[in-house]
Amino acid sequence: MADKDKRTIGNHRLHPESLMMSYGYDPHRSEGAIKSPIFQTSTFVFRSAEEGKAFFELAYGLRKQGPREELGLIYSRLNNPDLEILEDRLTLWDEAEACAVFESGMAAIATTLLELVRPGDTVAFSEPLYGGTDYLLNHILPRFGVDRIRFMAAGGNEAMTKAVTHAASSGKLAAVFVETPANPTNALVDIEACALAIARHAPPQRRVPLIVDNTFLGPLWQQPLRQGADLVIYSATKFIGGHSDLIAGACLGSREFVERVRTLRTFLGTMCGPWTGWLLMRSLETLKLRMTSQMKNARYVADFLADHPKVQRVHYLGHLTEDDPGWELYRKQCAGPGSIISFEMVGGEPEAFRLLNALRLIKLAVSLGGTESLAEHPATMTHADVEPAMQRQYGIGPAMVRLSVGVEFPEDLIADLKQALEQV
């Protein structure tokens, strides 16, 4: 683990964007290399049998770790230098106690939930969610006897409190999972109010964690742990990776919960590899630059779409006003609107498809948060496995298009959207 003293220079506390260059890494332990090497190895050599014994005692929890003792390197399914450095750096933006990285965002979500729930338990969660998460909660976990209670993100604190209260009344509430902003509608869930509702209604004999999927806004524009969340999850494929060239996930939060998740990760084998870890470290160095550029570009694009006669409605946090129900929550919870825009065409699926098929600079592809702008059709792509009736309830209609704005020149993006709209 990284030395916390290296976060300061004298009395001056260094910012995350500065620490991303070197935190958690000592060049002198790697021949002076300014960047961490890729430790492409499956196993590590012990200096002695006694050292190997001590490492395994800590890894398997056979004894408590000494005050100055570190878990030694054993096997890359348990630990790897690239992953350890990456996990140290990922804690900085969210001010988390610990972090565990995974081979995908879904691996992070699935491993976390499988650790926290047992047959007979109940999970309360917000809707809409990313399609993969929705399927896991509504179709996979019920096979293991896990009950679920959903609430609409757009339903506000009333719907959330009612769901948490109802789930807690059985004494079987094991976790509350929210995705905010919601995918793809950008609806917000009040993290602080959710944490308070859990504290008031959850059974006293069991600590019920609040898990927040923060992928849409990333660690720059929202920090759920500060709002009362116990764990925050990212599809690190998105903004953290940010170049559409890797798949990864992360779970951050209190050491109590992360260590439990990390232990199950060891036995499920869902950690990411050293090459992915190294690529994520590379990406973290430019995270603020990329996300700031994307956010600024999204403002221009959203303004253009809002004024276009062939666009019926734009779902964009930067367009919230004091008259909107989510205005106060946005001001309290978010540091910026991010770069994800969903908008509804005048018409339906044919009009949405004509737009998508006519795009030239913006790529027709799923995923988000990359340097290039991407557009997709949620109802038939990312959320295709959500029942049509539920899609309508969530506000995912056939005319909706989701746009992830990249770092291109904003006037070029607008020119592309303009010519595509002219062909609808």
Side-chain angles (χ1 to χ4, degrees):
M1 298 298 291
D3 188 345
K4 291 184 178 180
D5 292 340
K6 294 180 180 178
R7 298 185 188 184
T8 61
I9 296 178
N11 294 324
H12 177 77
R13 185 178 177 84
L14 297 173
H15 293 75
E17 51 263 53
S18 300
L19 291 167
M20 289 302 141
M21 309 304 164
S22 59
Y23 186 70
Y25 172 63
D26 181 359
H28 298 293
R29 298 179 68 177
S30 297
E31 301 294 334
I34 195 166
K35 299 297 182 187
S36 172
I38 302 171
F39 289 87
Q40 194 71 44
T41 182
S42 59
T43 194
F44 298 88
V45 176
F46 306 131
R47 290 185 177 90
S48 66
E50 289 79 8
E51 183 182 68
K53 176 185 177 181
F55 288 178
F56 269 92
E57 286 174 342
L58 295 183
Y60 285 179
L62 302 178
R63 63 176 175 84
K64 289 186 177 181
Q65 190 168 333
R68 300 182 64 84
E69 188 177 19
E70 294 184 2
L71 175 62
L73 295 167
I74 298 173
Y75 187 69
S76 282
R77 182 165 52 81
L78 283 76
N79 50 4
N80 178 284
D82 293 304
L83 303 193
E84 290 185 346
I85 298 166
L86 170 63
E87 288 169 348
D88 283 338
R89 292 183 189 175
L90 279 171
T91 63
L92 296 172
W93 285 109
D94 287 283
E95 297 183 358
E97 290 181 353
C99 171
V101 293
F102 296 83
E103 191 62 24
S104 70
M106 282 308 306
I109 293 169
T111 305
T112 299
L113 288 173
L114 286 173
E115 169 55 32
L116 296 173
V117 302
R118 300 291 182 269
D121 283 344
T122 299
V123 178
F125 56 92
S126 64
E127 293 277 16
L129 296 167
Y130 166 64
T133 313
D134 184 278
Y135 194 89
L136 173 70
L137 285 162
N138 286 312
H139 299 281
I140 303 298
L141 289 185
R143 298 180 191 173
F144 298 91
V146 176
D147 198 5
R148 70 259 190 238
I149 294 178
R150 357 176 185 193
F151 59 92
M152 294 299 299
N157 288 349
E158 181 179 356
M160 178 273 295
T161 303
K162 182 179 179 181
V164 172
T165 304
H166 179 52
S169 64
S170 66
K172 294 290 189 178
L173 180 61
V176 178
F177 188 100
V178 302
E179 182 182 282
T180 182
N183 185 352
T185 63
N186 268 332
L188 293 172
V189 177
D190 191 328
I191 299 170
E192 183 180 30
C194 194
L196 291 173
I198 295 170
R200 282 195 300 266
H201 301 289
Q205 70 275 14
R206 184 177 192 178
R207 186 176 171 193
V208 176
L210 171 57
I211 309 163
V212 177
D213 185 332
N214 193 34
T215 298
F216 254 37
L217 286 182
L220 259 71
W221 312 132
Q222 186 173 256
Q223 284 92 35
L225 298 179
R226 298 181 185 180
Q227 304 290 329
D230 298 287
L231 293 170
V232 57
I233 286 182
Y234 295 102
S235 170
T237 310
K238 311 303 191 290
F239 293 103
I240 293 172
H243 293 78
S244 299
D245 57 4
L246 61 85
I247 302 290
C251 175
L252 303 86
S254 70
R255 186 166 285 106
E256 171 193 356
F257 283 119
V258 172
E259 288 305 319
R260 288 177 56 186
V261 173
R262 189 198 305 274
T263 300
L264 184 59
R265 181 189 71 173
T266 294
F267 297 103
L268 293 181
T270 51
M271 73 294 298
C272 72
W275 175 233
T276 299
W278 188 90
L279 286 172
L280 286 169
M281 283 193 280
R282 168 219 60 181
S283 296
L284 280 174
E285 296 182 4
T286 60
L287 179 64
K288 185 174 183 180
L289 297 174
R290 289 182 285 105
M291 290 191 70
T292 301
S293 175
Q294 290 165 308
M295 180 183 66
K296 291 178 178 178
N297 285 352
R299 167 70 72 173
Y300 292 112
V301 172
D303 289 349
F304 165 77
L305 291 170
D307 290 336
H308 200 282
K310 293 182 182 178
V311 175
Q312 181 175 317
R313 186 180 180 189
V314 176
H315 304 270
Y316 169 61
L317 294 177
H319 281 174
L320 292 174
T321 66
E322 294 182 15
D323 298 330
D324 291 310
W327 167 255
E328 290 298 331
L329 175 56
Y330 169 69
R331 291 292 298 267
K332 176 184 79 168
Q333 190 165 289
C334 308
S339 55
I340 308 300
I341 304 166
S342 289
F343 60 96
E344 298 167 35
M345 298 289 295
V346 173
E349 182 179 300
E351 287 74 19
F353 276 23
R354 287 188 194 116
L355 169 79
L356 291 169
N357 290 337
L359 293 170
R360 296 174 59 190
L361 178 63
I362 299 168
K363 300 297 184 283
L364 173 53
V366 297
S367 197
L368 56 96
T371 51
E372 67 287 294
S373 294
L374 302 175
E376 62 106 8
H377 189 250
T380 61
M381 296 177 188
T382 52
H383 293 71
D385 59 352
V386 177
E387 298 175 4
M390 295 306 296
Q391 285 188 3
R392 290 191 293 272
Q393 186 178 347
Y394 299 159
I396 304 172
M400 177 177 279
V401 172
R402 191 188 73 187
L403 177 62
S404 172
V405 179
V407 300
E408 301 95 340
F409 195 74
E411 291 183 10
D412 295 342
L413 295 173
I414 291 170
D416 191 25
L417 286 165
K418 183 178 180 181
Q419 65 83 24
L421 284 162
E422 288 173 353
Q423 299 184 52
V424 176

